[in-house]
Amino acid sequence: DIQMTQSPSTLSASVGDRVTITCRASQSISRWLAWYQQKPGGAPKFLIYKASTLENGVPLRFSGSGSGTEFTLTISSLQPDDFATYFCQQYNSYPLTFGGGTKVEIK
Amino acid sequence: QVQLVQSGAEVTKPGASVKVSCKASGHTFTGYYIHWVRQAPGQGLEWLGLVNTGTGATEYAQKFQGRVTMTRDTSISTAYMELIRLGSDDTAIYYCARTITTPGYLFFDYWGQGSLVAVSS
């Protein structure tokens, strides 16, 4: 199974900050990586696929990059609505696996 | 609009089984896989498997092989996930989510609202 490791597990930031979350795969997954946002009590929301392609309607302050084993999700200017937990997911091979999550909290 | 509407919460005992449903609307049911992903309290996301809604074929995570069965009823655009021999560590919110069937597109663009399964003696 491909292990996905996210860092940090928690990130404290202020509105307007630039934040970066890292996701590492235990083996190469090319660019078969997606990102999701989850708020308390809700289902995950799809943000990005193929490492860097934004889903329709996702604000442009979100961006993704990387390939192979190292990937990043960047929020260029954190907004109040962005305080949430973020997960990466590889879809290179079965079983599909997720990172452990990064909680972005208010500093 | 696309919607995946799941069945309600279930409280059950160790050793029992549970069957969760996921009714799809707003898209061609047989054009997508329906996956099941669970999230234990305060924990991350864990993929259980998928059902090909067109053919009925399934793919399960090895961890759940022999304990999980995923099916679908195309006449009512509904997918099902049954998990047997439940233990307390199966307590979680169970989500259904869809993906396109094309390789390279196995990311979840729509999710159900989640169904809480609580296992307690």
Side-chain angles (χ1 to χ4, degrees), chain B residues 55-75:
Chain B
T55 66
T58 55
E59 179 81 32
Y60 300 141
Q62 187 169 11
K63 174 179 178 177
F64 299 100
Q65 288 272 6
R67 275 214 306 144
V68 72
T69 304
M70 297 179 188
T71 57
R72 92 288 189 227
D73 184 337
T74 58
S75 69

Side-chain angles (χ1 to χ4, degrees), chain A residues 4-9 21-24 33-40 42-49 62 71-73 84-90 97-104, chain B residues 37-40 42-46 95 108 111:
Chain A
M4 305 300 293
T5 303
Q6 278 183 245
S7 60
S9 55
I21 298 167
T22 298
C23 178
R24 290 186 173 87
L33 185 96
W35 289 96
Y36 304 87
Q37 176 195 69
Q38 187 178 35
K39 295 184 178 178
K45 175 188 172 185
F46 174 51
L47 297 177
I48 288 171
Y49 66 98
F62 289 90
F71 302 86
T72 59
L73 172 70
T85 299
Y86 294 84
F87 293 95
C88 60
Q89 175 235 331
Q90 68 81 18
T97 49
F98 295 86
T102 296
K103 182 177 181 181
V104 177
Chain B
V37 176
R38 76 179 185 180
Q39 187 170 36
Q43 301 301 308
L45 300 165
E46 183 175 33
Y95 294 101
F108 309 108
W111 296 67

Side-chain angles (χ1 to χ4, degrees), chain B residues 41-113:
Chain B
Q43 301 301 308
L45 300 165
E46 183 175 33
W47 181 78
L48 284 76
L50 67 88
V51 59
N52 180 327
T53 55
T55 66
T58 55
E59 179 81 32
Y60 300 141
Q62 187 169 11
K63 174 179 178 177
F64 299 100
Q65 288 272 6
R67 275 214 306 144
V68 72
T69 304
M70 297 179 188
T71 57
R72 92 288 189 227
D73 184 337
T74 58
S75 69
I76 55 171
S77 300
T78 300
Y80 302 92
M81 186 281 300
E82 182 176 26
L83 191 62
I84 65 172
R85 299 196 305 270
L86 292 168
S88 57
D89 57 350
D90 292 313
T91 293
I93 296 174
Y94 288 74
Y95 294 101
C96 63
R98 76 166 198 180
T99 67
I100 297 174
T101 60
T102 307
Y105 286 86
L106 295 180
F107 46 81
F108 309 108
D109 60 353
Y110 285 92
W111 296 67
Q113 83 276 20

Side-chain angles (χ1 to χ4, degrees), chain B residues 10-18 86 117-121:
Chain B
E10 303 258 10
V11 180
T12 188
K13 294 190 181 304
S17 61
V18 70
L86 292 168
V117 173
V119 183
S120 174
S121 54

Side-chain angles (χ1 to χ4, degrees), chain A:
Chain A
D1 298 3
I2 298 175
Q3 310 303 316
M4 305 300 293
T5 303
Q6 278 183 245
S7 60
S9 55
T10 306
L11 187 161
S12 297
S14 302
V15 172
D17 285 352
R18 179 183 181 89
V19 302
T20 299
I21 298 167
T22 298
C23 178
R24 290 186 173 87
S26 59
Q27 64 190 74
S28 176
I29 58 169
S30 185
R31 292 175 58 81
W32 306 125
L33 185 96
W35 289 96
Y36 304 87
Q37 176 195 69
Q38 187 178 35
K39 295 184 178 178
K45 175 188 172 185
F46 174 51
L47 297 177
I48 288 171
Y49 66 98
K50 206 172 180 183
S52 62
T53 304
L54 258 62
E55 168 70 336
N56 291 338
V58 174
L60 295 179
R61 62 182 180 271
F62 289 90
S63 63
S65 66
S67 66
T69 62
E70 188 150 339
F71 302 86
T72 59
L73 172 70
T74 298
I75 309 172
S76 61
S77 178
L78 200 63
Q79 298 302 301
D81 191 48
D82 302 337
F83 291 97
T85 299
Y86 294 84
F87 293 95
C88 60
Q89 175 235 331
Q90 68 81 18
Y91 52 98
N92 180 78
S93 61
Y94 294 130
L96 307 182
T97 49
F98 295 86
T102 296
K103 182 177 181 181
V104 177
E105 60 181 25
I106 300 172
K107 191 173 187 179

